[in-house]
């Protein structure tokens, strides 16, 4: 089947000229050239984008159009016989947007007379019809963050939950699509929600909430975050889009290398008796032997690495291929080793990205890119504080190949074709530290036992092993036709074929009473989609109107009646939906634009949830379990109906203010329903029973890069309510004998107020500066990040058992951090060197991420005296945010 499909892709690749991509990766340049004295339009003016193959000439009305431009900053040369030549510098092109350049040329009789004009990036883009954030490569590399994912949380409408997972405008964490060069990069078997009650540890949540995105910051040219409604070209997503566009190869050799140390200061949690006296639980009942906590003696707990010190190396190199005209390359990579600031845990990250670009003709460009990433990490679990070597860890690998063909057929039409293969492998299990491999669950796992108070593990190993592999074959592209100056059409189809394989082992110690569950997964779902979109641009109105059709065949069998495990199995019917989209922008004045958007957004449930535990569709297997959560191939697409209205206003030439209000109605969300049949069948099954709503307002104030300062301040207010925060919530209620929630309440990740800001202070290089000014102040920059947010909701408890307390009816304290990066650069012959100093949580604020429900305070249980409430166990350092941490580094540009 796979080979036949591969042949079909090749044939389709050769003959297709109308297929659509998931996301835009290019922008558009338009403009009008006129005579400075008379104002009449000038036909035949040449517009050349320097150091590229792109250019155009004005028509009889003085208009020009250049399509299919990668994002970046360009220099234009505008020339015509008898007129001064104009060199327009620093023209910014952004993904999916139109950049408008209008110039007047002055007559001259002097040959070679040239005028230099420096373009300013417009603060207001009138063709944006929803809330969008554009982050360039400079902002990503110069802010005090670990990587680009940290920058996402700074955007208006974006928040992190207590486990660090991202949510956009009150949506669940799985409702965000991540793309690199227009190609989805989520792992379909890792991005799902936890679907085992036993899989509630933070490390396993981290594994299942992984973005599936790993790329060096140096590879990113521009990152677009769409937190509002989005156009018809984006499908199978409900809350937001993160579209990363990688850098194009350069025509001359350029590069960068950056080195960052690990944390310079010792973490307050990596020491004995850090918060309270260590419990040192008793192992031998008669002998009184105890386990003692000791900080890991070796970096990364002894995991073997080529460089055995905490650090990060990342860099890039680009230029032409010697001896081959019109062929250039770009390469970036990252090698990072970090220990956690918590009592144990580490994170090892290796990745590379390579791109080759060949201009077969000025109108035909071929791109081949390959990316690889490997990440090995262990997230701190408090229960394993005294046996960290027996806690499970994660290893994720990803390899992607993308072949891209960009062909400009005429000045008004181009298409982009993408053929890609993405292979991912994820493994979770107990590590064999001596042999540097995962332990064999058949022979090397042991039953885990906790101490007498059921708090800390004192012997045994983790109880779970998972090995999943996925292959995604994808064929997609983009057909773009500019019918005239006012209408730009896109249309096409997309095909995705998945090969999903997984094996899960739970409690693999039958000789010690373990269930020894073996749960395989092997399915090949098929997706395809088609859309039509029209972007209408007038001086007084911009409209993005479109229609999208999505189709999914999960190719699996389901119960005919989900409430009857004895019912027959039947093939699940394919799912499809039609999604209308509409966005409008109304330029009120040159400095003020109003926008409105509306859309129906559908998303298929994650494959990890659709195919979960389907072996229990067999009544005999189901009868042997006390309780289990089962997937459902018959679930329907989840739906969000979204409305947004906003205003952008430019009060000064260097600042812009933006406000957006929105409302989202959430329907058919994935949830679980509990059933009990004939006393021997107790199970929950995924189905479309959850619902909710989100309303809010986003405010942004951006200050353009001035001589010494630039920055942005964001404020978000939102109310996210629903009957369940995660699909398995109702299963937890049933498992613990609680009633099913039937009213909306604040969701676990509902943060009412979020304030964030990033600010840059720079002392520029001045001509004529003395030695001390050049050595100390010149090219000195100070970057700040401020993040403050109201607390998460929680459900309090009291001594009165008759008192009804609504779920999530109380709030945790506010959290806040200030991060800093101080950087100095020096120019040397043919290069530039620099050094920097970073501080995370500058004021060492203690931020509560989880609280004790009796008191609402961090680590304070009040007067409770129950099992699992000992002082050491309650003082879980991962319930608080990171302490103050220092790093330094150096860099070189050439």
């Amino acid at each position: 089947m796979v080979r036949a499909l591969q042949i079909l892709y090749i044939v389709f690749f050769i003959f297709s000229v109308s297929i659509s991509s998931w996301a835009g990766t290019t922008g558009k340049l338009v403009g009008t050239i006129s005579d400075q004295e008379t104002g009449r339009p000038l036909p035949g003016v040449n517009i050349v984008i320097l150091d590229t193959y792109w250019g155009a000439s004005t028509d009889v009305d003085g208009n020009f159009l250049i399509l299919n431009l990668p994002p970046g900053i360009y220099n234009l040369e505008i020339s015509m016989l008898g007129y001064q030549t104009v060199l327009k510098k620093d023209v910014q092109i952004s993904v999916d947007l139109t950049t408008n350049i209008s110039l007047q040329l002055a007559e001259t009789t002097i040959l070679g007379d040239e005028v230099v004009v420096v373009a300013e990036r417009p603060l207001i883009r009138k063709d944006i019809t929803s809330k969008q954030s554009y982050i360039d490569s400079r902002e990503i590399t110069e802010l005090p963050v670990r990587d680009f994912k940290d920058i996402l949380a700074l955007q208006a409408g974006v928040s992190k939950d207590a486990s660090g997972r991202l949510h956009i405008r009150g949506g669940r964490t799985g409702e965000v699509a991540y793309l690199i060069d227009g190609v989805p990069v989520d792992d379909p078997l890792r991005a799902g929600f936890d679907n085992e009650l036993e899989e509630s540890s933070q490390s396993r949540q981290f594994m299942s909430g992984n973005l599936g995105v790993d790329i060096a910051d140096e590879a990113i040219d521009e990152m677009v975050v769409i937190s509002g409604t989005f156009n018809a070209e984006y499908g199978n997503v409900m809350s937001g889009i993160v579209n990363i566009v990688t850098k194009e190869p350069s025509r001359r050799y350029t590069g960068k290398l950056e080195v960052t140390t690990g944390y310079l200061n010792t973490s307050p949690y990596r020491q004995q008796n850090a918060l309270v006296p260590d419990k040192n639980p008793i192992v031998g009942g008669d002998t009184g032997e105890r386990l003692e906590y000791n900080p890991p003696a070796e970096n990364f707990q002894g995991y073997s690495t080529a460089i055995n010190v905490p650090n990060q190396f990342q860099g890039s190199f680009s230029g032409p291929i010697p001896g081959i005209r019109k062929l250039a390359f770009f390469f970036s990579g990252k090698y990072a080793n970090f220990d956690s600031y918590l009592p144990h845990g580490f994170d090892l990250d290796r990745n590379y990205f390579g791109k080759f670009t060949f201009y077969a003709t000025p109108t035909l460009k071929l791109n081949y890119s390959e990316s690889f990433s490997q990440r090995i990490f262990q997230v701190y679990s408090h229960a394993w504080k005294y046996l960290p070597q027996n806690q499970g860890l994660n290893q994720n690998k990803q390899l992607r190949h993308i072949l891209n063909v960009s062909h400009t057929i005429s000045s008004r039409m181009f298409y982009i074709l993408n053929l890609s293969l993405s292979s991912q492998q994820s493994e979770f299990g107990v590590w064999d530290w001596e042999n540097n491999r995962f332990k064999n669950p058949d022979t090397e796992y042991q039953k885990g036992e906790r101490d007498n108070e059921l708090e800390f593990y004192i012997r045994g190993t983790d109880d779970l092993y998972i090995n999943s592999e996925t292959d995604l074959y994808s064929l997609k592209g983009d057909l773009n036709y500019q019918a005239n100056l006012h209408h730009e059409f896109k249309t096409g189809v997309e095909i995705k074929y998945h090969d999903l394989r997984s094996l899960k082992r739970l409690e693999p110690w039958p000789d010690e009473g373990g269930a020894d569950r073996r749960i395989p997964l092997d399915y090949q779902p098929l997706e395809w989609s088609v859309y039509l979109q029209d972007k209408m641009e007038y001086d007084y109105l911009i409209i993005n109107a479109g229609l999208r059709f999505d189709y999914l065949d999960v190719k699996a069998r389901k119960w005919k009646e989900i409430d009857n495990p004895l019912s027959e199995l039947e093939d699940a019917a394919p799912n499809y939906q039609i999604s209308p989209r509409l966005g409008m922008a109304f330029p009120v004045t040159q400095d003020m634009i109003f926008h409105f958007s509306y859309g129906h957004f559908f998303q298929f449930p994650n494959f990890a949830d659709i195919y979960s535990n389907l072996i229990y569709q067999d009544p005999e297997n189901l009868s042997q379990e006390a309780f289990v959560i089962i997937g459902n191939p018959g679930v329907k697409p989840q739906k969000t109906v979204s409305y947004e209205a906003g205003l952008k206003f430019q009060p000064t030439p260097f600042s812009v203010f933006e406000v957006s209000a929105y409302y989202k109605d959430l329907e058919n969300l994935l949830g679980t329903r509990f059933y009990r049949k004939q006393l021997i069948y107790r199970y929950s099954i995924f189905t479309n029973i959850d619902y909710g709503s989100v309303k809010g307002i986003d405010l942004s104030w951006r200050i353009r890069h001035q001589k010494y300062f630039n920055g942005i301040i964001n404020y978000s207010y939102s109310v996210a309510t629903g009957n369940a925060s995660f699909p398995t919530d109702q299963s937890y209620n049933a498992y613990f004998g609680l009633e099913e929630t039937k009213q909306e309440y604040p969701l676990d990740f509902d943060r009412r107020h979020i304030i964030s800001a990033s600010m840059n202070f720079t002392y520029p290089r001045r001509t004529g500066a003395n030695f001390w000014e050049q050595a100390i102040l010149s090219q000195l920059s100070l970057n700040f990040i401020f993040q403050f947010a109201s607390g998460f909701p929680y459900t309090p408890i009291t001594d009165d058992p008759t008192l009804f307390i609504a779920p999530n009816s109380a709030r945790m304290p506010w959290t806040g951090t200030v991060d800093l990066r101080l950087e100095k650069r020096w120019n040397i012959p043919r290069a530039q060197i620099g050094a920097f100093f970073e501080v995370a949580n500058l004021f060492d604020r203690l931020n509560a991420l989880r609280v004790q429900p009796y008191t609402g305070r961090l680590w304070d249980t009040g007067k409770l005296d129950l099992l699992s409430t000992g002082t050491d166990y309650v003082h879980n350092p991962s319930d608080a945010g990171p302490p103050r941490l220092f790093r330094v580094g150096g860099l070189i540009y050439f």
Side-chain angles (χ1 to χ4, degrees), residues 526-826:
L526 177 67
E527 299 180 71
W528 65 271
S529 62
V530 59
Y531 77 84
L532 175 64
Q533 182 174 301
D534 183 13
K535 182 177 182 181
M536 295 164 268
E537 298 181 88
Y538 298 89
D539 292 338
Y540 55 88
L541 176 67
I542 295 90
I543 298 177
N544 280 308
L547 194 65
R548 182 180 181 89
F549 177 86
D550 287 276
Y551 173 95
L552 169 65
D553 187 355
V554 298
K555 298 185 180 298
R557 296 173 68 79
K558 68 179 185 69
W559 277 324
K560 195 171 184 179
E561 302 170 11
I562 63 172
D563 60 346
N564 181 9
L566 301 178
S567 64
E568 297 179 357
L569 291 177
E570 61 181 8
D571 291 336
N575 277 311
Y576 61 88
Q577 71 267 335
I578 298 176
S579 312
R581 313 282 174 84
L582 178 65
M584 295 182 289
F586 307 92
V588 180
T589 67
Q590 185 177 355
D591 300 323
M592 182 182 296
I593 295 177
F594 171 79
H595 75 260
F596 170 81
S597 57
Y598 160 83
H600 288 224
F601 305 95
F602 294 87
Q603 184 173 354
F604 298 118
N606 190 272
F607 292 132
D609 303 321
I610 292 175
Y611 299 125
S612 172
N613 297 331
L614 291 188
I615 64 169
Y616 294 107
Q617 289 178 334
D618 184 339
E620 183 176 348
N621 291 337
L622 182 59
S623 65
Q624 297 174 10
E625 298 293 339
F627 179 79
V628 68
I629 302 175
I630 305 175
N632 181 6
V635 291
K636 302 300 181 184
Q638 305 168 102
K639 179 180 179 181
T640 293
V641 180
S642 182
Y643 308 83
E644 178 184 331
L647 182 70
K648 290 189 283 286
F649 173 59
Q650 186 171 340
T652 69
F654 53 83
S655 68
V656 63
F657 178 78
E658 183 176 356
V659 56
S660 297
Y662 61 89
Y663 176 80
K664 295 165 62 177
D665 186 23
L666 315 177
E667 307 173 13
N668 283 345
L669 297 183
L670 193 66
T672 45
R673 175 156 285 165
F674 175 71
Y675 294 102
R676 181 187 290 110
K677 295 292 182 182
Q678 299 182 7
L679 299 180
I680 61 173
Y681 302 118
R682 298 176 76 249
Y683 64 96
S684 283
I685 189 168
F686 284 105
T687 187
N688 301 94
I689 63 169
D690 286 355
Y691 54 88
S693 62
V694 185
K695 54 187 175 184
I697 186 169
D698 294 331
L699 305 177
S700 298
W701 182 33
R702 177 179 288 275
I703 301 173
R704 187 202 301 272
H705 188 80
Q706 297 298 299
K707 186 176 182 180
Y708 297 102
F709 172 76
N710 71 289
I712 182 171
I713 301 174
N714 294 311
Y715 167 74
S716 296
Y717 170 79
S718 69
V719 179
T721 61
N723 71 316
S725 299
F726 301 97
T728 54
D729 282 0
Q730 303 291 24
S731 292
Y732 280 88
N733 292 338
Y735 185 77
F736 292 110
L738 304 176
E739 291 187 7
E740 182 178 302
T741 304
K742 296 182 179 178
Q743 78 274 0
E744 292 190 23
Y745 63 87
L747 300 176
D748 290 355
F749 42 83
D750 173 44
R751 303 194 90 161
R752 296 296 166 89
H753 306 276
I754 301 177
I755 304 169
S756 66
S758 60
M759 299 183 181
N760 170 266
F761 300 88
T762 302
Y763 192 93
R765 184 185 183 192
R766 288 193 317 115
T767 303
N770 61 38
F771 171 80
W772 294 109
E773 182 179 346
Q774 291 186 23
I776 299 175
L777 293 178
S778 181
Q779 300 182 92
L780 179 69
S781 64
L782 182 62
N783 292 273
F784 284 98
I785 289 179
F786 303 83
Q787 296 182 83
F788 291 87
S790 57
F792 296 110
Y794 72 96
T795 304
I797 60 175
T798 69
D799 293 327
D800 186 356
T802 65
L803 181 64
F804 171 76
I805 300 177
N808 283 348
S809 55
R811 289 278 168 176
M812 301 182 197
W814 277 62
T815 62
T817 59
V818 177
D819 302 330
L820 173 149
R821 176 181 170 117
L822 180 65
E823 181 177 314
K824 176 69 173 74
R825 297 186 184 181
W826 297 270

Side-chain angles (χ1 to χ4, degrees), residues 186-391:
D186 306 273
D187 187 331
L189 290 182
R190 258 196 298 151
F193 300 94
D194 295 337
N195 49 31
E196 289 288 343
L197 294 182
E198 295 85 357
E199 292 181 34
S200 58
S201 73
Q202 198 173 1
S203 60
R204 295 172 190 174
Q205 289 182 15
F206 196 96
M207 178 182 179
S208 55
N210 196 289
L211 302 185
V213 182
D214 206 356
I215 189 171
D217 296 343
E218 297 301 324
I220 300 174
D221 193 16
E222 185 173 63
M223 181 167 64
V224 184
V225 182
I226 306 177
S227 55
T229 58
F230 25 90
N231 295 335
E233 61 185 304
Y234 300 96
N236 199 29
V237 60
M238 294 196 297
S239 288
I241 302 287
V242 178
N243 186 20
I244 294 171
V245 181
T246 58
K247 292 178 179 178
E248 287 287 308
S250 58
R251 287 194 166 190
R252 60 185 182 86
Y253 293 110
T254 61
K256 177 186 176 182
L257 177 63
E258 179 180 296
V259 181
T260 308
T261 67
Y263 302 126
L264 300 180
N265 56 322
T266 302
S267 169
Y269 304 131
R270 285 210 163 197
Q271 56 185 321
Q272 293 180 335
N273 308 313
L275 294 172
V276 294
D278 291 332
K279 181 179 183 178
N280 296 331
I282 295 176
V283 180
D286 298 330
T287 63
E289 180 186 355
R290 291 178 177 271
L291 284 177
E292 289 189 5
Y293 171 75
N294 290 294
E298 300 180 79
N299 291 323
F300 328 124
Q301 294 166 216
Y303 191 98
S304 178
T305 61
I307 303 177
N308 194 33
V309 292
N311 55 39
Q312 175 175 287
F313 297 89
Q314 67 172 338
S316 63
F317 185 52
S318 182
I321 301 292
I324 306 178
R325 294 186 60 224
K326 301 182 180 180
L327 179 62
F329 71 92
F330 174 86
F331 178 85
S332 70
K334 181 169 74 172
Y335 180 94
N337 300 327
F338 289 108
D339 274 314
S340 171
Y341 63 88
L342 293 166
H344 67 260
F346 60 92
D347 193 346
L348 313 178
D349 188 3
R350 295 90 172 86
N351 68 66
Y352 71 79
F353 172 82
K355 177 187 284 188
F356 295 89
T357 298
F358 176 67
Y359 286 90
T361 70
T363 61
L364 179 62
K365 182 179 72 171
L366 304 178
N367 267 333
Y368 169 75
S369 65
E370 177 181 295
S371 60
F372 171 81
S373 65
Q374 180 182 26
R375 188 172 175 219
I376 304 99
F377 59 99
Q378 184 188 62
V379 179
Y380 177 72
S381 174
H382 196 47
W384 291 100
K385 175 181 176 179
Y386 296 95
L387 284 176
Q389 68 276 13
N390 291 3
Q391 179 195 334

Side-chain angles (χ1 to χ4, degrees), residues 89 268 394 455-456 469 491 595 642 650 715 738 826 865:
K89 289 188 172 182
N394 302 272
E455 294 179 338
F456 296 102
E469 298 180 0
T491 187
H595 75 260
S642 182
Q650 186 171 340
Y715 167 74
L738 304 176
W826 297 270
D865 187 16

Side-chain angles (χ1 to χ4, degrees), residues 447 506-516:
K447 182 179 180 180
L506 189 63
E507 296 184 359
W509 47 74
D511 295 340
E512 299 179 79
D516 194 23

Side-chain angles (χ1 to χ4, degrees), residues 31-36 38-45 58-63 80 83 103-105:
T32 302
I33 311 298
S34 58
D35 185 283
Q36 187 179 73
T38 65
R40 64 181 177 82
L42 292 177
V45 178
T58 56
D59 60 18
V60 294
D61 297 317
N63 299 317
M80 184 177 181
Y83 287 85
L103 287 175
Q104 291 185 326
L105 302 185

